[in-house]
Amino acid sequence: MTKPYDLRSLYPEEVKEILKEKGLEAWRTDQIFSWLEKGVRSFEEMTNLSKKLREELDELFFISNMTDADRLISKIDGTEKYLFTLPDGEYVESVLLSYKHGYSVCLSTQAGCKMGCSFCASTKAGFTRDLSAGEILLQMVEITRIKRQDDPAFRIGHLVLMGIGEPLDNYDNVIRFLRLCNRKELFGISFRNMSLSTCGIIPRIRDLMQEDIPLTLSISLHASNSALRSKLMPVNRRYPLKELLAVCKEYTRVTGRRISFEYALIAGVNDTPKEARELIGLLSGFMNHLNLIPVNPTKETSFTPGTRRAVEAFAQSLQRGGLNATVRRTLGQDIEAACGQLRREKKH
Ligand code: SF4
């Protein structure tokens, strides 16, 4: 019999309610969640619950798990990349980054991506399915479990949804995930320490403004005009640049939160003085930050990042034009930390 509930995707009050309905010990919910946060893979491991209750729980719920992980550690900066395998054979990539202010994870929200951005490896191996809220959370649970083997005080303080997949294309599961890891029973991460990066699905950005989740919204811009953006990012044909920027202004007005823009610098494609001028025109007057990211070369495209000098010159011309633009340090270059590259290799 298939078990009806995925325990990792449920809020504590939902679990409590189900237990109550079934006449089981609902007051045990906090204990169950503290085991989940510790990374247990089965009810069998919840040793402070009676054997009878563990068997009853096992009939009601399943606990989603990942079977193994490839783990690559950068020799340059300590960035760690994980490739997890889900029971249906799907692969999920996550990255652990270490900063002065603590650990941050970059998580995947879908197995593959439908969006087709031309510079991105995640989309090349195709889209298979959405991840459940529990499967997104599980990436943090597994990383924590693995790291605590060496460092019992290990703790994730920040998270970024910028791995494989378009988070707003898996809206309900992503919102549930964000609320779950904000809960004190799980990771207790403040919404202000979460960022979500989107290619610009306008109706879902509007939905997000109504959620009362004060995270940092990041827009993958990558072009300074609509024609170029449509070439690089097919989503722009459906949700054009002008409308996207209008909804960004609305987002800031409604939520009071600053938007951050991401711009992958591709030599000779979007990094000339013309694009710098256009960007200044587009983004002036926004309460924003512009992250310039030298593009990660992938085997599938001929895109390359400009030289360090060209990147700096582009950043300076934006700063002179009044934009708050900085070049993002690329981490984990020796372990292919660009999202989707490991999954794609496994799929072939
Ligand atoms: S950049 Fe993001 S939205 Fe675009 S294909 Fe890659 S994962 Fe999907």
Side-chain angles (χ1 to χ4, degrees):
M1 193 188 79
T2 350
K3 298 171 195 179
Y5 306 107
D6 169 10
L7 190 61
R8 289 199 203 276
S9 293
L10 294 175
Y11 298 124
E13 55 276 16
E14 292 172 326
V15 172
K16 217 170 249 175
E17 206 45 51
I18 297 168
L19 295 182
K20 255 193 221 155
E21 259 173 39
K22 302 281 172 191
L24 300 175
E25 298 167 2
W27 56 275
R28 298 275 193 189
T29 304
D30 285 355
Q31 284 168 316
I32 296 172
F33 272 81
S34 83
W35 282 114
L36 285 180
E37 205 254 350
K38 283 192 187 94
V40 297
R41 293 170 160 234
S42 68
F43 290 107
E44 199 51 44
E45 294 170 67
M46 300 186 180
T47 48
N48 58 356
L49 308 183
S50 69
K51 189 159 189 306
K52 184 166 170 284
L53 179 61
R54 280 184 267 157
E55 283 166 5
E56 287 162 337
L57 292 171
D58 198 30
E59 274 172 30
L60 266 182
F61 302 99
F62 68 95
I63 301 180
S64 50
N65 281 315
M66 299 194 276
T67 46
D68 57 13
D70 284 356
R71 182 183 177 196
L72 302 173
I73 303 176
S74 166
K75 291 195 181 69
I76 305 171
D77 51 46
T79 297
E80 298 186 20
K81 180 146 197 172
Y82 295 82
L83 182 75
F84 296 111
T85 313
L86 292 162
D88 61 358
E90 267 311 315
Y91 297 104
V92 174
E93 283 181 29
S94 328
V95 180
L96 175 68
L97 303 129
S98 167
Y99 293 106
K100 276 194 214 101
H101 58 260
Y103 285 104
S104 178
V105 282
C106 176
L107 306 172
S108 296
T109 52
Q110 295 178 307
C113 185
K114 300 172 203 159
M115 298 298 143
C117 301
S118 56
F119 45 83
C120 174
S122 298
T123 202
K124 308 284 182 211
F127 170 81
T128 317
R129 66 174 177 89
D130 289 332
L131 300 186
S132 68
E135 286 171 333
I136 306 172
L137 191 76
L138 187 52
Q139 298 166 62
M140 291 170 66
V141 171
E142 278 297 291
I143 291 175
T144 303
R145 188 184 61 80
I146 292 167
K147 293 293 287 182
R148 280 192 185 156
Q149 288 164 2
D150 298 324
D151 172 10
F154 173 85
R155 199 181 158 269
I156 294 169
H158 294 74
L159 71 90
V160 186
L161 297 184
M162 207 185 267
I164 299 177
E166 162 53 55
L168 297 187
D169 187 43
N170 184 13
Y171 189 84
D172 292 344
N173 287 326
V174 162
I175 296 295
R176 179 169 273 267
F177 156 76
L178 294 171
R179 293 195 195 283
L180 275 172
C181 63
N182 171 252
R183 299 295 298 256
K184 66 170 181 3
E185 296 88 341
L186 289 163
F187 289 90
I189 297 180
S190 143
F191 288 127
R192 290 177 193 276
N193 290 344
M194 301 181 187
S195 353
L196 181 153
S197 172
T198 176
C199 65
I201 302 185
I202 290 177
R204 297 291 85 75
I205 297 176
R206 287 220 168 84
D207 292 341
L208 185 61
M209 327 177 180
Q210 307 303 329
E211 297 283 356
D212 197 21
I213 296 184
L215 48 64
T216 301
L217 181 66
S218 238
I219 302 286
S220 302
L221 193 63
H222 306 319
S224 55
N225 63 65
S226 214
L228 177 60
R229 195 164 191 268
S230 289
K231 266 194 216 154
L232 296 175
M233 303 175 72
V235 69
N236 194 69
R237 295 174 207 151
R238 179 117 191 250
Y239 302 116
L241 188 55
K242 202 168 153 211
E243 287 168 35
L244 176 60
L245 293 178
V247 87
C248 288
K249 283 205 169 126
E250 198 183 328
Y251 184 91
T252 301
R253 189 171 46 74
V254 172
T255 64
R257 303 284 297 159
R258 199 173 81 144
I259 292 210
S260 134
F261 291 97
E262 310 282 328
Y263 194 92
L265 279 168
I266 310 172
V269 175
N270 65 0
D271 69 343
T272 70
K274 173 179 170 284
E275 279 82 37
R277 279 194 302 277
E278 287 177 343
L279 275 178
I280 294 166
L282 269 187
L283 299 181
S284 294
F286 263 92
M287 197 165 87
N288 69 64
H289 180 248
L290 178 63
N291 266 317
L292 302 170
I293 313 146
V295 75
N296 247 304
T298 61
K299 289 175 194 118
E300 300 79 19
T301 68
S302 53
F303 293 153
T304 51
T307 60
R308 212 171 148 162
R309 237 168 110 182
V311 169
E312 284 302 330
F314 192 80
Q316 282 161 11
S317 57
L318 297 178
Q319 289 154 0
R320 278 196 301 274
L323 296 190
N324 177 12
T326 47
V327 181
R328 186 189 293 155
R329 208 158 49 103
T330 41
L331 293 168
Q333 273 186 322
D334 54 332
I335 53 165
E336 299 200 278
C339 75
Q341 292 191 9
L342 286 182
R343 174 176 183 266
R344 177 151 165 72
E345 274 162 27
K346 284 274 180 184
K347 296 273 272 188
H348 283 83

